[in-house]
Amino acid sequence: MTRKIALAAVASLAATWALAAEVAPTEVMFEGGAVAASLTGVPGDPEAGAKVMTTASLGNCVACHLIEAMPAVQFPGTIAPALDGAADRWTEAELRGLLVNAKMTFDATFMPAFYKTEGFIRPGDGYTGKAPESDLPPILSAQQIENIVAYLLTLRD
Amino acid sequence: MRSHIATLAASAALGLALTGAAVADPVEDSLTVITEDGELEIVTRTAAPDHLKDVLPTIYSGWHYREDETRALQRDDFDNPGMVFADRGHDNWNAEIGTGGESCASCHGGPESMKGLRAVTPRVDAKTGKLMIIEDYVNACVTERMGLEAWGVTGDKMKDMLALISLQSRGETVNVAIDGPAAPFWEKGKEMYYTRYGQLEMSCANCHEDNTGQMIRADHLSQGQISGMPVYRLKDAGVVSAQQRFVGCVRDTRAETFKAGSDEFKALELYVASRGNGLSVEGLGVRH
């Protein structure tokens, strides 16, 4: 009995450590719309970020945004502002905040919050149409967010 | 580096032009259908009903948002791939499938007895006070009068019958009641229309009102009207009903959907239908 409890304690401690490097979606600290601290502490990889942005099941940013710097993307959406020059308009912290939850910057915006796990009406398990069976993961992982931030920082006019 | 900047500047200018062009308004066009009984004019664009005119002054059928080739398929019944499904529905209409040998025809006569129904449904049934979609009326006959198991709301048999029944009202003006006993259902449907469901936090209005005419990737966002329903959808090579489309659109917001035929989606269908009051029933639209 005691041993079991002790083991459980060790296991949960290990879990905490594993996550310690990463800021959980519910723990992100905003200053206005901006998030100053990296979500992972690991520098972002802009190429990986660009991949996530153009993958429909992941960021799918191009469903709404045009990005002139990505001429290979066919049929970009016309819903949102073009992202070229984003790094001239926004700081790194502001861009991170826009990705975590754009509604902190633009009230009631159409842009989805990519690193948020709570406060939804009838959230589903991805695109299955079913209720999730366990805790809802954010749409993108912490490192995917950092990778996209790194890519956006290359978008200068 | 310099050439890089030059390219960016040039393409930024181009970007503006592109964006301007791609904010594709509904196509200017009008629809006259060649049917077995001659030509029939279909209203695909008209002034919005009073309850909507402050947000959308003009309402358009989804037909205006599709490519030339897709629109053309709806101009002649001979080309409309949906007609095969209505024909199948007609066979089933005449089939003596009831446990007592009943067919739809044995009670109702020809399918033309259903003329007008599509234009006024969903509606509140005077006897039961329930909100009824055509699928409910069909299933009431199938279970209570023919002694059969209910047909699946989005199953092939149901959609074939829906196609046949809708076709009987083709050209009639959509005119669902939103007041009196319908009012509470309509209010509920309206609330749903503006609710931002799912992990993407998107409402019907976000896409089909705020961003109608825009491109969401390769999709041209229509007003999400259901006057063309059921529609033949080229992408699915089959008929899609309003209830089925709602499931798809809510699922696409990363939400837990409501069931086709649920009270929620029936209320939503009433509300969405009312946004098209004034358009013609298309009987069988063609979309891609």
Side-chain angles (χ1 to χ4, degrees):
Chain A
M1 181 65 185
T2 2
R3 219 175 54 221
K4 239 191 198 155
I5 289 172
L7 272 178
V10 170
S12 72
L13 199 66
T16 320
W17 278 340
L19 287 174
E22 228 176 77
V23 182
T26 48
E27 316 266 280
V28 177
M29 299 285 286
F30 276 92
E31 274 169 66
V35 175
S38 161
L39 302 178
T40 60
V42 179
D45 168 357
E47 252 173 68
K51 189 103 199 291
V52 172
M53 291 175 70
T54 51
T55 304
S57 58
L58 295 173
N60 204 17
C61 314
V62 291
C64 296
H65 291 278
L66 172 76
I67 306 165
E68 290 285 337
M70 291 182 171
V73 172
Q74 286 187 308
F75 308 116
T78 61
I79 283 171
L83 291 181
D84 301 278
D88 296 325
R89 294 188 292 277
W90 306 94
T91 65
E92 178 185 329
E94 286 167 341
L95 288 170
R96 186 177 291 110
L98 275 164
L99 282 161
V100 170
N101 183 359
K103 286 164 187 81
M104 302 294 281
T105 302
F106 303 108
D107 193 33
T109 182
F110 187 42
M111 178 160 152
F114 289 97
Y115 199 63
K116 182 179 148 184
T117 51
E118 294 176 343
F120 303 114
I121 302 168
R122 294 180 74 86
D125 177 7
Y127 292 104
T128 63
K130 300 200 174 77
E133 275 170 19
S134 48
D135 286 351
L136 199 69
I139 297 174
L140 297 179
S141 72
Q143 194 56 46
Q144 284 170 331
I145 301 278
E146 292 305 323
N147 293 346
I148 294 176
V149 170
Y151 174 78
L152 292 175
L153 286 171
T154 69
L155 295 179
R156 294 196 175 275
D157 278 338
Chain B
M1 182 64 189
R2 224 174 43 220
S3 73
H4 187 60
I5 289 170
T7 320
L8 266 181
S11 53
L14 186 72
L16 278 177
L18 270 178
T19 316
V23 178
D25 288 326
V27 180
E28 277 296 330
D29 199 355
S30 59
L31 178 59
T32 303
V33 181
I34 301 168
T35 77
E36 268 183 9
D37 309 318
E39 294 197 343
L40 183 65
E41 209 182 303
I42 300 288
V43 176
T44 53
R45 163 207 170 137
T46 190
D50 283 347
H51 70 84
L52 195 62
K53 65 174 187 246
D54 291 342
V55 284
L56 286 180
T58 307
I59 52 175
Y60 292 90
S61 155
W63 182 76
H64 281 273
Y65 297 79
R66 303 282 68 97
E67 294 72 10
D68 296 352
E69 310 83 66
T70 309
R71 290 201 314 286
L73 291 174
Q74 210 182 316
R75 292 189 206 275
D76 189 334
D77 284 354
F78 193 74
D79 299 323
N80 185 331
M83 291 304 154
V84 176
F85 297 81
D87 285 346
R88 238 167 45 176
H90 202 166
D91 292 343
N92 224 9
W93 175 272
N94 290 325
E96 292 166 353
I97 49 177
T99 43
E102 307 89 345
S103 65
C104 312
S106 64
C107 286
H108 297 283
E112 60 284 355
S113 57
M114 297 289 125
K115 189 171 165 53
L117 184 65
R118 178 66 178 85
V120 296
T121 45
R123 73 174 173 206
V124 175
D125 186 67
K127 265 181 257 145
T128 60
K130 282 193 182 145
L131 182 67
M132 303 283 279
I133 54 177
I134 289 178
E135 292 91 322
D136 291 324
Y137 283 111
V138 171
N139 261 337
C141 284
V142 165
T143 59
E144 292 162 25
R145 304 186 183 95
M146 300 173 106
L148 303 170
E149 292 270 308
W151 292 352
V153 177
T154 55
D156 286 345
K157 261 190 289 195
M158 182 63 84
K159 288 192 294 179
D160 291 350
M161 196 54 77
L162 195 56
L164 177 71
I165 292 174
S166 298
L167 204 51
Q168 311 309 312
S169 302
R170 182 158 62 170
E172 294 202 16
T173 306
V174 177
N175 185 22
V176 295
I178 66 173
D179 52 2
F185 298 104
W186 185 80
E187 289 293 347
K188 179 177 173 182
K190 181 175 181 183
E191 189 193 314
M192 289 180 71
Y193 196 86
Y194 289 96
T195 299
R196 301 185 67 162
Y197 290 113
Q199 197 172 12
L200 296 181
E201 299 176 278
M202 289 176 181
S203 69
C204 314
N206 283 149
C207 284
H208 295 296
E209 185 174 294
D210 305 343
N211 286 300
T212 179
Q214 301 285 351
M215 303 300 294
I216 189 158
R217 198 77 199 254
D219 283 318
H220 192 189
L221 282 170
S222 70
Q223 294 181 349
Q225 295 284 0
I226 56 174
S227 51
M229 295 285 177
V231 297
Y232 179 84
R233 195 157 180 242
L234 297 163
K235 228 186 246 173
D236 301 338
V239 169
V240 174
S241 64
Q243 291 286 318
Q244 200 178 6
R245 182 79 225 199
F246 296 168
V247 169
C249 277
V250 174
R251 185 191 53 215
D252 286 350
T253 68
R254 285 179 175 252
E256 179 190 358
T257 64
F258 301 91
K259 280 209 178 70
S262 63
D263 289 345
E264 289 87 355
F265 271 171
K266 285 196 265 187
L268 184 64
E269 184 170 337
L270 171 63
Y271 177 70
V272 178
S274 80
R275 292 171 70 99
N277 273 354
L279 295 172
S280 295
V281 172
E282 288 169 35
L284 274 170
V286 181
R287 307 288 185 262
H288 74 184

